Amino acid sequence: MNDKQKLLFYNLKNIKDYWVKTSVDSLNYNTDLIWSDNEDEYKLLQFKLKAQEELVAFAKIQDELIKGVIHSILVMIDGGDELADNYLLDFVDRKTKESLLNDIALHEEFYGYLLDCEEE
């Protein structure tokens, strides 16, 4: 994995972490939910999920779901679904025109990157 691929994974991990934190923080009764289209649903969950154990469980589920979504998007970019029959998606360095898909399966390496980050 090269530095450009690591930067992509770093950014994806930060996006995941941000939205997990945002979703958990939104279970606090005093949180401004103006950003959400699901204010009523958050308010319902605010009364249901209060204990630290419940919030940790919710965070783990959110983390897993967001990892799954990112993985599915990377599979699509890697050419591993029906979209690849008609379209080629790629991440290309603007300066060098080098593909980040070069000799790598992004969807597989992303999980490896996350495992490495979690071990540290």
Side-chain angles (χ1 to χ4, degrees):
M1 175 183 337
N2 66 38
D3 289 342
K4 293 172 188 175
Q5 293 159 337
K6 285 180 185 175
L7 180 60
L8 171 64
F9 297 152
Y10 173 81
N11 284 322
L12 290 172
K13 180 187 178 305
N14 283 341
I15 290 167
K16 175 190 68 70
D17 293 345
Y18 171 82
W19 284 106
V20 169
K21 182 177 181 336
T22 297
S23 67
V24 173
D25 288 350
S26 295
L27 297 177
N28 180 322
Y29 183 74
N30 296 320
T31 300
D32 183 1
L33 297 170
I34 191 98
W35 65 271
S36 177
D37 291 334
N38 297 295
E39 287 186 53
D40 292 338
E41 289 78 4
Y42 271 107
K43 288 180 182 191
L44 174 70
L45 291 176
Q46 288 171 354
F47 292 102
K48 303 282 184 185
L49 304 175
K50 292 183 177 185
Q52 186 62 28
E53 178 182 73
E54 295 165 342
L55 296 173
V56 168
F58 182 75
K60 286 181 178 180
I61 290 168
Q62 294 296 88
D63 189 77
E64 180 180 57
L65 289 172
I66 296 169
K67 278 193 258 191
V69 169
I70 292 171
H71 180 266
S72 295
I73 292 168
L74 293 175
V75 167
M76 180 182 65
I77 292 167
D78 283 334
D81 71 359
E82 346 29 268
L83 188 68
D85 295 338
N86 297 307
Y87 301 101
L88 172 66
L89 301 175
D90 201 348
F91 288 102
V92 177
D93 183 298
R94 288 185 192 271
K95 293 179 184 173
T96 66
K97 307 299 183 214
E98 176 187 8
S99 168
L100 268 66
L101 300 179
N102 217 3
D103 299 323
I104 189 174
L106 294 175
H107 68 282
E108 292 173 3
E109 293 295 326
F110 179 64
Y111 271 105
Y113 177 84
L114 290 176
L115 288 173
D116 290 346
C117 290
E118 291 168 1
E119 287 178 2
E120 294 175 356

